[in-house]
Amino acid sequence: MTDVVLAAVLGVIGGVVLTVLLLLARRLARGATDLGSDAEQGALRALHHASLAAPHLRAGLAAPEVVKAARHLRVLLGSTAVAIVSAEGTVSFDGASDGLESAALRIATQVTGSRRRQVFPSPDREDDLEAVGAPILVGGRIVGVVVAFAAPVRAALVRAAEEVADWCAAQVELGDLDASRTQLAEAELRSLRAQISPHFIYNALTAIASFILTDPARARELVLEFADFTRYSFRRRGEFTTLSEELGSIHSYLELERARFGDRLRVTLRIAPETLATVIPFLSVQPLVENAVRHGLEPGEGGGEIRISSRDDGTHTEIAVEDDGVGMDPEALRTTLTAGDDGLHVGLRNVDTRLRQLYGAEGGLVVETNTGAGTLVRMRVPKSQPLHDPLHDPENA
């Protein structure tokens, strides 16, 4: 009786195990089907290698990291070896060398001269490596050549090499565009710094001089504030900072302006503590405050109040600078922001341009103003900007 019961138990266990194995087999089979056909898997692998190669081409074809792109392109093409030859003659090679780098340079010279794709058959045995070279054209100019080696070079590789050369050209163009944007941002910063120099520095030094005899301690404090302000404004530490650091510079600026205005300049700050660590473009809030003083309060005889605020707005931090000064005609302001240099509101226009470059067309300044009604300027900055962390800015290293 015991043997019968034991056999029955073992049978049940065996059935359960078999059922589990069948279910696992079905799941694995379904998983393999979910990966797609061979063609779909091949396309995914090609996209994967292209995405890995792309960043290494953005700095130009003569850069050292292009050899990493060649490695991925060789896998993508399925060739024995691949060379990317820049217009300057730099050869970035991957694969079995055996003297092929010099061959790649000769092939690139011929392809550059003809300005078209060429196939170079083996002059000796059929199993010797052959090559195909395709020009990389950017704006009608040959910036390099892709050379693929295989035995033999088939029609599919010839077409693929040409497509890869066109793709490389697109990556180089994107790199040039990024470089142009960086240069433009640097030019905007230089323009802002140039704006600071003549107007504000003269007024600040005049204000300091007025206290030297009457209140030497106050004059000393203002000299230190002036040093802090200029040190921040003319620093060479990248394009980004934190709201906290920018507010420190604004404090120094306003202390110097109070030396001129006295009680006629009133300042109110409403800063949410959680926004202080927000990463913002360097010199983006400070010019707004300077604009409020220079064009809002200075023209009026009675001075006025400037209100600086920040608040957490979900995925963004909203920063606002408001004054109760003379204001501006809205149409004139629109012309200032879109048409060009009026010689007066350079800071406002530069900040607006930089914000749009960084955060898109909807990321610019929002300005509310009217003649005699003061001015309110708002900007919204994303709270998450991993690529713009000032602590990891290459220029800070």
Side-chain angles (χ1 to χ4, degrees):
M1 183 67 177
T2 303
D3 293 340
V4 173
V5 173
L6 180 61
V9 171
L10 291 175
V12 171
I13 293 173
V16 170
V17 171
L18 181 61
T19 302
V20 170
L21 290 174
L22 288 172
L23 288 173
L24 286 173
R26 288 182 61 187
R27 178 167 295 181
L28 289 172
R30 185 165 59 249
T33 303
D34 290 342
L35 292 176
S37 65
D38 290 344
E40 290 171 334
Q41 292 180 44
L44 287 173
R45 285 194 296 271
L47 288 171
H48 175 65
H49 284 290
S51 67
L52 292 175
H56 305 303
L57 296 168
R58 302 284 173 84
L61 299 183
E65 59 265 32
V66 176
V67 69
K68 297 178 182 178
R71 185 177 309 139
H72 294 294
L73 295 182
R74 182 179 65 80
V75 177
L76 182 63
L77 291 170
S79 57
T80 303
V82 161
I84 301 174
V85 185
S86 71
E88 296 80 11
T90 303
V91 180
S92 301
F93 189 89
D94 186 74
S97 179
D98 195 23
L100 293 181
E101 293 185 40
S102 58
L105 193 56
R106 291 195 301 272
I107 290 169
T109 301
Q110 294 185 50
V111 170
T112 300
S114 66
R115 297 182 62 83
R116 61 183 178 83
R117 179 195 69 200
Q118 290 191 54
V119 177
F120 299 84
S122 170
D124 301 318
R125 302 191 314 271
E126 291 184 0
D127 59 346
D128 281 349
L129 287 177
E130 300 179 339
V132 55
I136 302 173
L137 288 160
V138 175
R141 177 174 57 92
I142 296 179
V143 298
V145 175
V146 171
V147 183
F149 295 91
V153 169
R154 303 187 186 279
L157 180 58
V158 174
R159 292 194 298 272
E162 192 167 30
E163 292 296 332
V164 164
D166 290 341
W167 177 83
C168 288
Q171 303 311 310
V172 172
E173 286 186 293
L174 287 173
D176 290 344
L177 181 60
D178 288 341
S180 297
R181 286 175 174 170
T182 300
Q183 291 169 1
L184 180 59
E186 291 173 351
E188 297 288 357
L189 280 177
R190 287 194 297 271
S191 177
L192 282 172
R193 286 170 171 143
Q195 180 205 10
I196 291 169
S197 304
H199 181 82
F200 172 74
I201 291 178
Y202 174 80
N203 288 335
L205 292 176
T206 301
I208 293 171
S210 69
F211 284 98
I212 289 177
L213 295 178
T214 59
D215 192 346
R218 176 63 172 156
R220 182 179 180 279
E221 291 174 0
L222 292 174
V223 167
L224 295 176
E225 297 287 5
F226 181 75
D228 289 342
F229 173 82
T230 53
R231 185 182 300 114
Y232 178 82
S233 299
F234 294 99
R235 75 175 194 178
R236 303 185 60 83
R237 283 179 46 213
E239 298 176 29
F240 295 90
T241 186
T242 62
L243 177 58
S244 176
E245 289 182 341
E246 187 106 343
L247 287 173
S249 177
I250 289 170
H251 168 80
S252 296
Y253 167 78
L254 289 173
E255 284 300 305
L256 290 163
E257 291 292 33
R258 279 198 184 100
R260 286 201 305 136
F261 282 88
D263 294 338
R264 293 189 300 125
L265 174 58
R266 301 178 300 280
V267 180
T268 301
L269 276 79
R270 294 190 179 93
I271 306 297
E274 63 271 20
T275 66
L276 289 171
T278 301
V279 174
I280 63 173
F282 176 60
L283 287 181
S284 57
V285 182
Q286 182 175 294
L288 306 184
V289 177
E290 292 184 40
N291 187 79
V293 172
R294 184 178 177 186
H295 303 295
L297 305 186
E298 193 171 299
E301 295 182 1
E305 181 180 10
I306 292 178
R307 293 176 287 276
I308 305 170
S309 63
S310 68
R311 68 182 184 92
D312 188 321
D313 189 24
T315 59
H316 289 67
T317 291
E318 182 177 283
I319 304 166
V321 177
E322 184 177 9
D323 69 75
D324 57 1
V326 298
M328 187 176 181
D329 176 66
E331 190 59 39
L333 174 66
R334 190 175 297 109
T335 301
T336 294
L337 294 178
T338 59
D341 189 0
D342 64 349
L344 296 175
H345 298 81
V346 178
L348 203 64
R349 187 181 62 257
N350 281 2
V351 171
D352 181 67
T353 300
R354 290 165 59 212
L355 291 174
R356 292 178 188 277
Q357 289 169 353
L358 289 168
Y359 308 124
E362 301 301 318
L365 296 175
V366 176
V367 185
E368 299 176 21
T369 187
N370 210 333
T371 304
T375 301
L376 169 64
V377 184
R378 293 198 307 271
M379 56 186 285
R380 295 179 75 249
V381 178
K383 289 195 293 186
S384 177
Q385 300 186 62
L387 297 179
H388 298 158
D389 186 348
L391 297 178
H392 296 90
D393 194 310
E395 294 189 30
N396 290 346

